[in-house]
Amino acid sequence: MKKAVIQLPLLLGLMWVLPLVAFAKGDCAKVDVDGHRLYFCKSGNRGPVVVFDAGLKDFSKSWSAGVPKLRQHAQVVVYDRAGLGKSDNAAGPRTSDDIAEDLYKMLKRAKLPGPYILVGHDFGGWNMRVFATKYPSDVSGLVLVSSPLEDF
């Protein structure tokens, strides 16, 4: 797995301002993922793709406010899991395995190149761990914020 190199000040800034990622109009879209559409927003045009997943009942809006420095160094992506925010409902109950697969398909269909730096808060961290386990060659880094341990 290729490792990401991020300057320490950027990583520390990211950890302190997680709820602050601004997106301009026109950077948002919906992508079909096996019969339901997932909503996402992308900001920034260079550097690695940094993907954010929110807490249990939260969605992309929980990351919205303003971090111009992060998008100067990366392509920042936030999205709504199926059934949350502006994403469609998916058929049946959803597991972290389903969520990770949905995210993978969304990123590929939206033509967002990996490897990805994954950022997960709370339940979103669980999903990002599953993603990293399922698709290790597509992950270059993992940032967990108040996320439970695997054996929780």
Side-chain angles (χ1 to χ4, degrees):
M1 173 168 45
K2 186 178 175 185
K3 301 295 178 203
V5 177
I6 300 177
Q7 295 178 359
L8 186 58
L10 176 62
L11 183 58
L12 291 174
L14 172 66
M15 292 172 68
W16 282 102
V17 293
L18 284 174
L20 308 172
V21 182
F23 299 93
K25 288 188 178 188
D27 291 331
C28 301
K30 285 188 176 184
V31 174
D32 185 87
V33 177
D34 300 335
H36 58 280
R37 296 176 311 150
L38 295 182
Y39 173 82
F40 75 96
C41 292
K42 177 186 149 311
S43 181
N45 293 314
R46 63 188 185 122
V49 176
V50 182
V51 183
F52 289 79
D53 193 1
L56 184 61
K57 298 209 181 231
D58 264 333
F59 52 98
S60 62
K61 191 171 185 170
S62 69
W63 305 109
S64 65
V67 173
K69 279 196 169 203
L70 181 57
R71 69 177 182 217
Q72 289 174 8
H73 302 283
Q75 299 174 69
V76 179
V77 175
V78 297
Y79 83 107
D80 295 341
R81 294 185 299 270
L84 295 173
K86 295 181 180 180
S87 287
D88 298 344
N89 287 320
R94 309 298 289 158
T95 65
S96 287
D97 192 65
D98 298 324
I99 293 166
E101 188 172 332
D102 280 357
L103 176 58
Y104 179 80
K105 289 176 180 178
M106 183 204 78
L107 291 168
K108 295 303 179 186
R109 290 177 184 163
K111 297 182 179 8
L112 295 165
Y116 309 105
I117 298 172
L118 306 175
V119 180
H121 171 251
D122 188 53
F123 177 68
W126 231 333
N127 300 332
M128 293 306 203
R129 283 177 187 237
V130 171
F131 186 105
T133 300
K134 286 180 68 117
Y135 310 105
S137 63
D138 287 301
V139 176
S140 61
L142 185 59
V143 179
L144 302 173
V145 182
S146 299
S147 186
L149 300 172
E150 305 88 26
D151 59 353
F152 179 72

